[in-house]
Amino acid sequence: MNDKLDRAKKMIIDNCGASARRILDAGHRYLVPKTINALSRTSPERQRYEIEQVLAGRRPFSSKTEVYDTVSFGEVTSRLARAAGSINKAASQSMHTVSVGNFAEEDVRNVIDVVHHLTNHCGQLWKLIRSGDWKTEPTQPSSNPPVISDERIWSTDELVEADLKTVMGNLNRAASFIAKCVRDLPRADNLPRTREQVHAASVRLFGMRRNLWRMETTLARASGRVAIPNQKKRVATQPEADTAE
């Protein structure tokens, strides 16, 4: 008997009702143990949506949805990590693309528009992350603090096939992660978050905005547009310093 799988099934049935019980007991071909466990870790709203997809003959997690699906702040930091990786790669690709002259004016305009959109969303998410009731969390160091790894340095061989359409693909991937956080956080009822998590998310967002600025500046200069002035900014990731009691 698989206790973990049984608990996952019970959670889905409790949230989704008789229809979920029926297809889980029947052993639906789309609901293999790995999918059941993954589904049980999502929000009740997302579970009901995916069960409806299975009843309609579609695989779970096969379609995009705006259903609320953030059950812990760890999901926010995970999405930010993936978004940061995509933006970092896009920034490296755009600089390589410009260095070899592999770009068209229309592509430059499209990329810069997406960069502006992403930059605004990063600002919105930063405000949302800091607006929760996180100040009441303990300030003692966590036994498992969030880890922010160094940005990957992409080799020329990994960038040689890149063009601005490839850059756009990575930016759109990052935008989907950030947009999901922006959609879900206002619907989260004071989603618990620690000081360390807020700090790590803020640092991650700052790194993304820095790479977006690099991209816009590089592309604007290459296409003869007026670039943003090079300004140094001081970024505070929390309103006041930690103090020992």
Side-chain angles (χ1 to χ4, degrees), residues 2 16 25 30 35 38 56 120 143 149 155 170 194 207 226 228-229:
N2 189 327
C16 304
D25 288 347
Y30 288 161
T35 301
N120 290 335
S143 58
S149 56
S155 68
N170 280 305
T194 65
V226 177
I228 300 173

Side-chain angles (χ1 to χ4, degrees), residues 73 123-136 181-182 184-194 197-199 201-202 205 237-239:
F73 198 80
Q124 292 177 39
L125 184 54
W126 182 79
K127 292 178 182 177
L128 288 169
I129 286 172
R130 297 174 58 80
S131 66
D133 190 22
W134 60 276
K135 294 180 184 177
T136 61
C181 293
V182 170
D184 280 7
L185 279 180
R187 291 182 275 180
D189 187 16
N190 289 324
L191 194 68
R193 64 206 75 179
T194 65
Q197 286 176 318
V198 171
H199 173 76
S202 299
L205 283 166
T237 61
Q238 55 192 46

Side-chain angles (χ1 to χ4, degrees), residues 4 34 43 49 60 84-86 95 97 115-116 123 133 138 147 191 207-209 229 243 245:
K4 180 180 178 182
K34 181 179 179 180
S43 68
Y49 172 83
S86 293
M95 284 186 279
T97 298
V115 166
H116 287 167
D133 190 22
V147 176
L191 194 68
M208 285 191 279
R209 293 193 70 169
T243 56
E245 296 294 330

Side-chain angles (χ1 to χ4, degrees), residues 37-58:
N37 285 323
L39 184 56
S40 71
R41 294 191 292 271
T42 64
S43 68
E45 293 90 339
R46 182 63 182 267
Q47 290 175 24
R48 288 190 284 271
Y49 172 83
E50 297 301 347
I51 290 296
E52 289 173 1
Q53 295 297 296
V54 173
L55 290 170
R58 292 185 284 271

Side-chain angles (χ1 to χ4, degrees), residues 6 17 27 43 47 53 55 57 70 74-75 91 100 102 125 148 159 173 177-178 205 210 231:
D6 289 341
S43 68
Q47 290 175 24
Q53 295 297 296
L55 290 170
T70 300
E75 292 181 69
V100 297
N102 185 20
L125 184 54
I148 303 177
L159 303 176
R173 190 174 301 112
F177 290 128
I178 296 172
L205 283 166
R210 178 191 60 206
Q231 296 177 339

Side-chain angles (χ1 to χ4, degrees), residues 140-161:
Q140 288 80 9
S142 169
S143 58
N144 295 300
V147 176
I148 303 177
S149 56
D150 293 334
E151 291 183 339
R152 178 173 175 178
I153 305 300
W154 298 90
S155 68
T156 301
D157 290 342
E158 293 171 299
L159 303 176
V160 70
E161 298 297 329

